[in-house]
Amino acid sequence: MLVLAFWVLLAAAGGGAAMAGLDGATRPLRIGHGLIAGLGLFCLLIGALIEPGTLVWTAFGLLALGFAAGATLFGVIWRNSAPPRMLIWAHGAVNTLGVILLGVVVFG
């Protein structure tokens, strides 16, 4: 389950990186990105319950924080406008760190 979570979250990260390069990501792109990330986070939660470990839970915590920030900031506060670039980069950095940690757990 951790391997599946890694690949789904990596796909969400790739989509997020592509959206960060756009000047204005459309609402369907943002929603799709969030749904894929949510699916990956759910898979990671199941995997963490099956194979617990400090790095797994740390990755989950980082990704949950990034997911919550993304949902709150981009889905609620800036629903119809572009958020500040710094928040986009911070959201991506937290999630990237979580995906890297998960990759270390899965492949390391």
Side-chain angles (χ1 to χ4, degrees):
M1 190 58 75
L2 292 177
V3 174
L4 176 62
F6 174 79
W7 290 113
V8 171
L9 289 165
L10 190 63
M19 284 192 317
L22 298 173
D23 283 336
T26 63
R27 186 172 174 85
L29 281 175
R30 291 171 18 177
I31 290 172
H33 169 69
L35 289 174
I36 293 169
L39 175 64
L41 192 61
F42 181 70
C43 291
L44 178 55
L45 175 61
I46 293 170
L49 292 171
I50 293 170
E51 300 178 41
T54 303
L55 283 181
V56 173
W57 283 110
T58 303
F60 177 79
L62 286 168
L63 289 161
L65 176 67
F67 181 83
T72 302
L73 293 172
F74 311 131
V76 177
I77 297 172
W78 284 287
R79 181 181 312 216
N80 298 316
S81 62
R85 280 274 193 221
M86 193 63 184
L87 289 178
I88 294 172
W89 289 105
H91 163 73
V94 168
N95 284 313
T96 298
L97 183 58
V99 171
I100 289 170
L101 267 174
L102 182 57
V104 167
V105 169
V106 170
F107 301 110

